[in-house]
Amino acid sequence: MPHQVVYASSSASAATSALEMAAVRTIIEREACLEALAQLATEFANPVSKARPWTLVRNLTRQYRRASVAAVEAIRKWEEAAKERFLWKQTKYLCKMTGDCIFFATATEMLRDLNFTLEKNPLLAPVTLDDAETVHGAALVDLARRRCPDADLMGDVHMEQICNALEYLAAEGGRVEVAPTAEKHIEEEKEEVMVHPENKTQLMQMHIVHAKQALTKMEARRKELGEQIQRLQTKMERATVPSQTRALQTQLHARTNELKALMGDLFKRRNELARQEAAFRLHVKTPQKAAAAIEAELRQAVEADSLARERLLAALEPPPPPLSLACMNEQEVFEMIKGLGLDDAAQKMKDMGIDGGLLAESTDADLQEVGVAIRLHRVKILRHVQQLQSK
């Protein structure tokens, strides 16, 4: 897969353009080797695959090491001449080198010929970034030679070159720097929009507006890239010097790759915008209840729930214990006898001042004397008194 090239400086001077192109060529070679090694590592990790191209692995590791060392050296020369950091895809490439090869540490079978630590080892060398931070100069070279006496294992790259590149990589690769264009883009994306989180309609509108703004910027960039490609093609047709033609080809390749990536992103963004607009139309068509109606429904639901809760608690409460006959006063005796359907007898007993204590000791003759003339009424009263006393 071709790689997108983002140059270190948008306005490189004539003095640094040659150094810049040299760095770009080494980076492209290193990226190709790195991608090939990553694919081989995946193949080795596949338990089904039986392919073990050891010769290809050895050749690739040597080419990768040579390209990595050359990339560090070329970037170092460019940075010393330009007095700024070399950026690739808006990130310092030396920093990228320290982290884009972490899969080496797990590819032990593929890199079995390298009998040294593969962690933090972007150059596949006998010494690592940790070693370069603690040991320097000739001592680092001696350490590397002790760990790897076989110089042929390093290919056509001298151990001094490897150690010098590793020291520069350890010193300069740890500071992450972002291109000003990226910072500007990030700041443009940070727009403070005060939207209440519960207002779904407003949130959806805001997302659609932002998506359209992003598409507008991408369309402008697409148009700009198209114009740049046309100018580069015109320059290539007029170029007569081979070195100038190669430089223009590299730039054209980079712009073409960026345009391809942008077109793919544009396709996804357009589909996402269409989905958001469809969801918004569906949301708007759905009838929305007024806030007052929703509040009234909630209030009714709360009141109904409270009433049901009170009824449930009342049903669960035990009934009050029956009042003892001996504790009843005259009025309570009156109400009790009246409840038996004997209004006349109740009134006569009330007139005579009969309370619960007297009624409990009354006999049939006593009730007859009070004025309850009907015998069955007296029987009914006495049976009820007997039931109360038996509880």
Side-chain angles (χ1 to χ4, degrees), residues 16-257:
T16 59
S17 59
L19 296 175
E20 181 176 346
M21 293 309 303
V24 169
R25 282 194 291 269
T26 58
I27 289 174
I28 292 175
E29 182 182 2
R30 179 185 180 273
E31 290 290 311
C33 294
L34 184 66
E35 184 174 353
L37 286 172
Q39 292 176 354
L40 283 175
T42 304
E43 189 71 20
F44 272 82
N46 186 1
V48 180
S49 176
K50 303 297 182 181
R52 294 295 183 267
W54 298 113
T55 303
L56 177 61
V57 171
R58 282 191 290 271
N59 293 336
L60 268 177
T61 52
R62 291 184 178 185
Q63 185 180 359
Y64 167 81
R65 185 184 300 109
R66 181 177 63 251
S68 298
V69 172
V72 175
E73 292 176 345
I75 291 173
R76 182 175 185 175
K77 291 179 181 178
W78 185 93
E79 290 183 346
E80 290 175 351
K83 306 300 181 183
E84 56 179 307
R85 301 302 176 191
F86 191 97
L87 302 179
W88 173 275
K89 295 184 180 180
Q90 300 178 348
T91 303
K92 192 167 68 170
Y93 190 73
L94 293 180
C95 180
K96 177 184 181 299
M97 288 182 65
T98 62
D100 61 6
C101 54
I102 56 176
F103 67 91
F104 289 161
T106 58
T108 53
E109 182 185 3
M110 182 182 73
L111 302 175
R112 64 180 186 179
D113 292 342
L114 305 180
N115 298 320
F116 35 77
T117 303
L118 298 175
E119 294 183 0
K120 296 184 179 181
N121 197 342
L123 302 183
L124 291 179
V127 286
T128 64
L129 290 172
D130 291 340
D131 296 325
E133 291 177 356
T134 56
V135 184
H136 307 285
L140 184 63
V141 177
D142 293 339
L143 177 62
R145 285 174 176 167
R146 287 198 302 270
R147 291 181 179 176
C148 182
D150 186 6
D152 293 336
L153 191 61
M154 296 294 102
D156 55 355
V157 184
H158 296 292
M159 198 68 76
E160 290 82 358
Q161 287 181 276
I162 295 175
C163 293
N164 290 337
L166 191 65
E167 281 193 76
Y168 190 77
L169 190 60
E172 301 296 325
R175 291 178 291 178
V176 181
E177 295 181 8
V178 181
T181 55
E183 294 178 355
K184 182 179 179 181
H185 177 70
I186 293 172
E187 291 298 327
E188 289 177 354
E189 293 295 328
K190 291 182 178 179
E191 298 179 0
E192 294 185 0
V193 181
M194 301 302 295
V195 179
H196 198 280
E198 295 180 358
N199 194 338
K200 185 176 180 180
T201 302
Q202 192 173 357
L203 281 174
M204 295 177 75
Q205 289 176 331
M206 181 191 70
H207 292 161
I208 291 174
V209 169
H210 284 187
K212 289 182 177 179
Q213 291 175 351
L215 277 176
T216 302
K217 294 178 182 179
M218 294 173 69
E219 288 287 355
R221 179 57 180 166
R222 181 185 65 82
K223 183 178 179 181
E224 181 183 355
L225 285 173
E227 294 174 353
Q228 292 179 4
I229 290 173
Q230 290 180 356
R231 288 196 296 268
L232 288 172
Q233 289 174 342
T234 303
K235 290 181 180 179
M236 284 183 60
E237 293 175 357
R238 299 175 181 175
T240 56
V241 182
S243 59
Q244 184 181 7
T245 303
R246 287 194 297 270
L248 291 172
Q249 286 177 343
T250 303
Q251 296 182 34
L252 180 62
H253 183 67
R255 300 299 185 273
T256 304
N257 289 338

Side-chain angles (χ1 to χ4, degrees), residues 342-363:
L342 306 175
D343 296 352
D344 186 53
Q347 187 61 45
K348 290 180 178 180
M349 294 176 69
K350 183 178 181 182
D351 294 340
M352 295 297 293
I354 304 299
D355 58 11
L358 291 175
L359 182 60
E361 298 177 0
S362 298
T363 62

Side-chain angles (χ1 to χ4, degrees), residues 298-316:
L298 288 175
R299 191 184 307 109
Q300 292 176 1
V302 171
E303 292 176 355
D305 182 70
S306 300
L307 183 60
R309 182 174 178 273
E310 291 176 359
R311 290 175 179 174
L312 178 61
L313 292 176
L316 294 176

